[in-house]
Amino acid sequence: MLNIFVKEAKIILVSVDYRLAPENPLPTAYDDSWEALKWVASHISGEKNATEIWLREFVDFNKVYLAGDSAGANISHHMAIRAGLENPGPTEFKISGVLMIQPYFWGEDPIGVEAENPVFKSVVDKWWRFVCPSDKGCDDPLINPFVVGAPSLSGLACDKILVCVAGNDILRERGRFYYQSLVKSGWKGKTEFFETEGEDHIFHILDPTCENSNNLIKVSAKFINSE
């Protein structure tokens, strides 16, 4: 899927192999992702560990995008928030946008269709508690960016965000709510929303060549290449 996306968007992509839970409980994945972002930025000044020739010679660091699906979309959100507090690199390093595909956000209280399936809701609840040893449960700010104490969306360090959801995905309500909350948050950037009807979570990975996956990839590529 990533190869298809890279070809369509004509971009250089860095895929972060962050350490996984439960062997490495959260926030390890967030910390690894931040270190990866700093490593990418280190290629601007040619630091000792900046050894990737593709990044040194072919990247425009004024047009960096964070992207991910499911947990990766969640992590992209938190990286953009953290970048608003501390720049991961020199001033030439600029996060232009964030692409969030079927973002994995959740909460203790159900919203929308989540309330119609309490059994499935409890399963998703347990997923989070399994990977994140937090006394806040599913209202930890890492999984619920709208609880008291979570960083304001107005602090996102990018110019635009595209939120994509799948019409049959249990997480779709959270993606819609994120988009709606972002619009109302006072954030100065451009917000876009795209929904694929009739598909479930990470359908584009399970079948990257189907028509709906192709459409999602084209929308994502257009988002990255538009001003």
Side-chain angles (χ1 to χ4, degrees):
M1 187 279 294
L2 290 180
N3 287 338
I4 296 171
F5 177 48
V6 166
K7 182 179 179 181
E8 178 69 29
K10 296 179 174 59
I11 55 175
I12 292 175
L13 184 145
V14 176
S15 180
V16 181
D17 186 21
Y18 55 78
R19 287 171 290 174
L20 301 177
E23 293 81 4
N24 302 280
L26 297 178
T28 299
Y30 298 94
D31 295 337
D32 287 354
S33 298
W34 183 252
E35 289 303 312
L37 195 60
K38 291 198 296 182
W39 173 77
V40 170
S42 73
H43 287 75
I44 296 175
S45 54
E47 296 177 19
K48 186 176 180 179
N49 67 338
T51 57
E52 178 53 65
I53 189 170
W54 282 90
L55 298 180
R56 288 208 317 264
E57 298 188 8
F58 301 108
V59 165
D60 182 351
F61 289 99
N62 277 301
K63 295 182 179 178
V64 176
Y65 283 79
L66 306 179
D69 46 42
S70 193
N74 173 306
I75 292 173
S76 294
H77 160 81
H78 286 285
M79 295 304 99
I81 288 288
R82 185 166 177 177
L85 301 172
E86 52 175 313
N87 197 319
T91 55
E92 300 95 324
F93 187 83
K94 175 178 171 53
I95 299 174
S96 295
V98 178
L99 171 61
M100 306 177 67
I101 300 177
Q102 298 141 35
Y104 178 28
F105 296 122
W106 204 241
E108 288 290 336
D109 297 326
I111 62 174
V113 296
E114 296 168 6
E116 299 174 7
N117 194 337
V119 174
F120 199 3
K121 170 70 168 63
S122 68
V123 170
V124 181
D125 288 348
K126 291 174 183 176
W127 290 349
W128 178 255
R129 296 189 180 105
F130 182 62
V131 300
C132 183
S134 168
D135 59 1
K136 299 180 178 66
C138 294
D139 277 341
D140 189 293
L142 290 176
I143 191 67
N144 187 349
F146 308 109
V147 294
V148 175
S152 171
L153 298 181
S154 63
L156 287 161
C158 59
D159 296 327
K160 58 181 182 176
I161 292 179
L162 171 60
V163 181
C164 302
V165 301
N168 293 346
D169 185 3
I170 187 65
L171 300 179
R172 65 189 182 275
E173 299 286 2
R174 301 289 167 169
R176 291 169 182 158
F177 186 63
Y178 183 94
Y179 167 76
Q180 294 162 358
S181 299
L182 190 57
V183 170
K184 300 173 183 177
S185 68
W187 178 63
K188 304 297 184 182
K190 179 182 179 182
T191 311
E192 301 179 36
F193 181 83
F194 179 75
E195 180 166 350
T196 304
E197 297 289 350
E199 295 286 2
D200 214 325
H201 198 59
I202 63 168
F203 71 91
H204 57 290
I205 294 178
L206 300 176
D207 188 359
T209 61
C210 72
E211 182 178 357
N212 280 337
S213 294
N214 186 52
N215 290 338
L216 177 60
I217 287 170
K218 286 184 180 299
V219 167
S220 301
K222 181 180 179 182
F223 169 75
I224 287 176
N225 288 304
S226 62
E227 295 297 331

